Amino acid sequence: MSNNTAPAIEDARLSKFEERVQKGDAIEPRDWMPEAYRKHLIRQISQHAHSEVIGMQPEGNWITRAPSIRAKQILLAKIQDEGGHGLYLYSAAETLGISREDMIEQLQTGKAKYSNIFNYPTLTWADIGAIGWLVDGAAIVNQVSLQRTSYGPYSRAMVRICKEESFHQRQGYEIMATMMKGTAEQREMAQDAMNRWWWPSLMMFGPHDSDSPHSSDAFRWKIKRHSNDELRTKFIDKTVQQAEVIGLTIPDPELKWNEATGHYDHGEINWDEFYRVIKGNGQCNKQRIAHHKRAHDDGAWVREAAEAYKVKQAVKNN
Amino acid sequence: MATDTQLDLWEVFIQSRNGSHHTHAGSVHASDRKMALQNARDIYTRRGEGSSIWVVPANSIVASNPDDADMFFDPADDKVYRHPTFYVMPEGAKQI
């Protein structure tokens, strides 16, 4: 093959790929795709998977202290779901050619990120309500949009996850509603959780569209279907009413309905805090990764034993 | 980091209710068939989504190549007579 034909073939494949994406075709694992598309997806899906897995920690913190057996069963089921979501997503990322081992290593060495929100601590039981209602609520808005992402395995994982997330959000809202019907102290606790989780939840959608570094390819290739600001607005619009119904105040004095746009306007987000936490200086960054490493290392003997058993069975069956 | 393994990859097929097809649901990691079945149950049927599960080692699946799809499926392209709408029915004939 001459030096000139290779780029020509590459160009033809790229334009065919882009044509398919524009038409709304799903891209499947064995289809040709540009390296940048593959890389973008691996980064995004693995980060999404890590978020689900690390997200088990702040909630796990309350299993032994859940206020009733009902609350404990629900919390356990929810955390198990989060683990399952992480596994759907790791599987989707693996179809792009990265191994589970590599993804875990990237998480533990800090090369891969996870959602910033899980670097905040869960100080009271109301925080479990706030996580389900606000954090999962924000995640649902994002994930509903991603159900139509162009990569087939990612899109299918999102459909499955969205079905399960609405239980998460409702259980969180129920906790908040119950506390708001309780004593003055319980109401105060719920409002305090609201105050601490509201802004970090808005940050989950990422920087403003004008400052978002990864967006243009992601839109052209239909990995992303809605912008950070569109999704953030959608979340605020539906959450404000839910807060009002149970008597919680949104900790943003500048929040107000805008007749002209048909959406809420919100106050300035503290992006300095956002970048400080991303860079590893949130309250729990070190603790989250240390815990992940410990659990991973403590489980090594189980994986080794399983492998040894497999070998032994293979010998026996031959 | 010590050499680690995340076990083998299996593909999971779920029959949502008796009488329907088994449909691909996703993948799991497991070291043997029993673990693969149990992991598939825990990951894909936490809400009664299944009445039966198949797990298949991923490397046992043979798949057609998407780049060859046009050529591979070509034999079916020019045989419209395989569809019932190809045939001209006499006017007035019923229930056919």
Side-chain angles (χ1 to χ4, degrees):
Chain A
M1 198 183 281
S2 83
N3 286 339
N4 294 334
T5 51
I9 291 172
E10 191 78 358
D11 284 352
R13 289 181 137 179
L14 180 62
S15 48
K16 193 181 158 203
F17 170 86
E18 299 209 324
E19 201 179 295
R20 287 189 58 201
V21 169
Q22 287 322 308
K23 235 174 45 191
D25 278 7
I27 303 302
E28 293 295 337
R30 286 162 54 93
D31 292 340
W32 184 89
M33 61 187 82
E35 266 321 291
Y37 178 82
R38 186 184 299 276
K39 251 177 84 181
H40 187 111
L41 278 169
I42 288 178
R43 188 180 52 76
Q44 182 171 333
I45 302 174
S46 66
Q47 176 174 324
H48 199 156
H50 296 325
S51 302
E52 299 281 357
V53 169
I54 296 293
M56 296 163 79
Q57 291 185 38
E59 301 192 297
N61 183 34
W62 278 91
I63 292 173
T64 57
R65 294 175 288 166
S68 67
I69 191 76
R70 174 183 186 268
K72 182 185 277 198
Q73 281 177 319
I74 291 169
L75 187 57
L76 277 168
K78 177 179 190 298
I79 294 169
Q80 194 188 7
D81 273 357
E82 307 297 4
H85 297 173
L87 294 175
Y88 307 155
L89 287 159
Y90 282 131
S91 294
E94 284 170 71
T95 64
L96 292 157
I98 187 170
S99 71
R100 185 85 57 100
E101 288 86 340
D102 285 347
M103 284 188 275
I104 291 172
E105 199 194 332
Q106 289 180 359
L107 170 67
Q108 294 188 345
T109 56
K111 192 181 166 222
K113 304 279 183 214
Y114 54 88
S115 180
N116 246 2
I117 194 86
F118 301 119
N119 290 318
Y120 292 84
T122 41
L123 304 177
T124 70
W125 174 250
D127 288 13
I128 299 303
I131 287 185
W133 175 42
L134 299 174
V135 175
D136 289 329
I140 290 172
V141 169
N142 186 36
Q143 291 172 155
V144 164
S145 165
L146 284 170
Q147 288 183 117
R148 291 173 51 232
T149 191
S150 58
Y151 188 56
Y154 192 25
S155 154
R156 293 191 284 274
M158 284 300 115
V159 171
R160 191 174 285 280
I161 287 174
C162 283
K163 272 189 201 152
E164 300 180 352
E165 285 284 357
S166 64
F167 135 57
H168 297 182
Q169 201 197 6
R170 291 176 66 124
Q171 66 85 32
Y173 189 51
E174 190 195 77
I175 290 174
M176 293 306 251
T178 307
M179 292 187 83
M180 290 306 286
K181 277 188 273 176
T183 63
E185 224 178 342
Q186 286 167 325
R187 286 198 298 275
E188 202 176 300
M189 199 181 264
Q191 183 63 53
D192 169 61
M194 175 88 198
N195 295 349
R196 283 181 290 107
W197 290 94
W198 174 253
W199 291 103
S201 297
L202 297 192
M203 292 176 200
M204 285 174 70
F205 296 97
H208 286 306
D209 299 346
S210 47
D211 308 317
S212 181
H214 302 294
S215 279
S216 59
D217 277 351
F219 274 110
R220 191 159 47 91
W221 290 335
K222 298 195 177 180
I223 294 172
K224 241 182 129 141
R225 306 305 305 258
H226 298 94
S227 77
N228 294 353
D229 286 329
E230 278 177 86
L231 295 169
R232 187 166 18 239
T233 299
K234 196 173 269 190
F235 169 70
I236 295 171
D237 286 353
K238 65 179 202 166
T239 308
V240 171
Q241 190 267 346
Q242 294 165 5
E244 280 169 3
V245 167
I246 58 175
L248 279 167
T249 306
I250 299 216
D252 178 1
E254 289 169 63
L255 185 84
K256 64 168 190 295
W257 180 251
N258 182 331
E259 277 298 344
T261 60
H263 299 291
Y264 281 94
D265 291 334
H266 61 85
E268 189 72 35
I269 293 170
N270 182 349
W271 295 112
D272 290 343
E273 175 183 325
F274 176 75
Y275 288 111
R276 191 178 68 238
V277 180
I278 278 197
K279 293 205 173 88
N281 300 314
Q283 292 177 67
C284 301
N285 300 55
K286 290 189 180 69
Q287 180 189 337
R288 298 294 184 237
I289 293 302
H291 182 90
H292 190 278
K293 280 184 184 158
R294 193 166 60 242
H296 185 73
D297 294 345
D298 287 353
W301 72 269
V302 180
R303 296 189 291 277
E304 281 164 27
E307 283 295 306
Y309 179 74
K310 175 178 83 176
V311 173
K312 207 170 141 191
Q313 290 300 105
V315 171
K316 224 179 179 177
N317 294 336
N318 274 339
Chain B
M1 197 176 278
T3 51
D4 192 15
T5 171
Q6 287 293 307
L7 315 180
D8 302 329
L9 184 65
W10 301 68
E11 297 301 328
V12 179
F13 299 81
I14 306 222
Q15 184 187 40
S16 54
R17 60 188 175 283
N18 177 275
S20 62
H21 291 282
H22 284 72
T23 309
H24 185 243
S27 331
V28 290
H29 284 222
S31 60
D32 61 60
R33 38 179 84 187
K34 188 173 166 194
M35 190 195 290
L37 265 183
Q38 288 173 346
N39 286 354
R41 175 200 60 195
D42 292 346
I43 296 168
Y44 293 102
T45 62
R46 286 194 300 282
R47 292 175 173 79
E49 294 95 331
S51 58
S52 163
I53 300 177
W54 295 343
V55 287
V56 184
N59 59 16
S60 295
I61 290 184
V62 182
S64 63
N65 182 347
D67 291 339
D68 299 338
D70 287 347
M71 193 172 54
F72 189 70
F73 293 105
D74 173 65
D77 282 350
D78 56 356
K79 298 181 179 61
V80 281
Y81 47 81
R82 284 178 173 168
H83 298 279
T85 47
F86 176 77
Y87 297 93
V88 183
M89 292 295 101
E91 211 162 307
K94 288 179 184 161
Q95 296 193 46
I96 181 156

